[in-house]
């Protein structure tokens, strides 16, 4: 067994007692200590349902927490991780149960989502849906009926067959969402059963 080579003499050595400066968080300073507790032990991988489906590092609690910390310290923006790590976390707290330092990942992801919406705001359609439709029971029933009518009449199939340049624009986004629905294939016209 041989010893590792010694460090070259030209290597900079920090004076004893001085600690490297830690960047101050740009936002979410109240949870920065919780974010900093993650020791990257990877015990969260075994219990994370999203990691089991999609085994990517950012699908684990340690990956999400590291990306949120990078955003807090200014190395990236929250909007850069909005479509992945922030949107796929189920906030089930399975990771916290397996975590030795008990990092509250669900609370960290919730606060990061709130901060993202404060920074970016909600899209106009989502604001309308959240303020005008969902609070009213009749609104959700109407949305359900419209969705079911689109399935029965085949409108969703027509939208899936429609081509637009690279699926762009509002029609392309709507078409992509319809195609992803489970069981969004053609529905046979059969008499409705009485309720």
């Amino acid at each position: 067994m041989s010893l590792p080579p010694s460090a070259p003499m030209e290597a900079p050595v920090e004076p004893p007692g001085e600690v490297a400066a830690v960047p101050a968080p740009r936002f979410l300073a109240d949870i920065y200590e919780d974010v900093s507790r993650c020791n990257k032990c990877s015990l969260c991988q075994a219990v994370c349902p999203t990691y089991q489906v999609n085994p990517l590092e950012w699908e684990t609690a340690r990956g999400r927490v590291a990306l949120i910390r990078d955003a807090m310290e200014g190395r990236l923006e929250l909007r850069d991780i909005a479509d992945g790590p922030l949107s796929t976390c189920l906030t089930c707290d399975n990771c916290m149960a397996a975590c030795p330092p008990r990092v509250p990942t669900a609370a960290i992801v919730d606060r990061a989502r709130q901060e993202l919406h404060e920074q970016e705001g909600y899209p106009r359609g989502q604001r309308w849906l959240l303020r005008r439709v969902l609070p009213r029971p009749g609104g959700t029933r109407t949305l359900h009926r419209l969705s079911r009518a689109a399935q029965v009449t085949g409108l969703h199939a027509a939208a899936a067959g429609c081509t637009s340049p690279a699926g762009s624009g509002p029609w392309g986004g709507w078409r992509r969402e319809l195609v992803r629905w489970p069981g969004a294939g053609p529905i046979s016209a059969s008499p409705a059963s009485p309720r």
Side-chain angles (χ1 to χ4, degrees):
M1 180 186 321
S2 64
L3 295 173
S6 60
M9 296 303 286
E10 299 84 32
V13 178
E14 291 183 13
E18 288 192 24
V19 179
V22 176
R26 300 180 302 160
F27 47 80
L28 299 176
D30 57 323
I31 63 167
Y32 189 71
E33 185 178 326
D34 291 335
V35 170
S36 300
R37 284 195 330 228
C38 179
N39 62 6
K40 297 171 183 53
C41 66
S42 78
L43 292 175
C44 53
Q45 286 181 343
V47 296
C48 182
T50 58
Y51 182 76
Q52 301 302 318
V53 172
N54 191 12
L56 296 171
E57 177 61 27
W58 58 262
E59 288 286 359
T60 64
R62 74 177 183 174
R64 293 179 213 282
V65 168
L67 288 172
I68 292 170
R69 182 177 180 172
D70 286 347
M72 291 167 69
E73 293 175 351
R75 288 189 284 275
L76 58 93
E77 297 296 323
L78 274 177
R79 70 176 159 270
D80 297 337
I81 60 173
D83 289 336
L86 288 184
S87 65
T88 58
C89 181
L90 302 176
T91 61
C92 62
D93 268 340
N94 286 352
C95 51
M96 188 174 170
C99 183
R102 307 284 294 168
V103 176
T105 306
I108 291 168
V109 169
D110 282 341
R111 290 283 289 121
R113 288 173 179 167
Q114 290 172 1
E115 178 65 28
L116 176 69
H117 288 301
E118 287 174 13
Q119 289 178 6
E120 303 286 321
Y122 289 101
R124 183 183 305 172
Q126 193 174 7
R127 274 196 318 262
W128 176 79
L129 189 70
L130 290 171
R131 291 182 183 161
R132 302 283 182 195
V133 177
L134 293 180
R136 298 183 177 137
T140 53
R141 277 193 298 270
T142 302
L143 282 178
H144 174 73
R145 288 180 183 139
L146 287 173
S147 173
R148 186 64 186 143
Q151 287 179 340
V152 170
T153 61
L155 181 60
H156 75 286
C162 177
T163 58
S164 62
S168 61
W171 181 256
W174 185 59
R175 181 173 56 87
R176 281 192 304 274
E177 290 301 316
L178 287 173
V179 170
R180 287 195 313 194
W181 285 356
I187 297 175
S188 61
S190 62
S193 60
R195 294 185 181 197

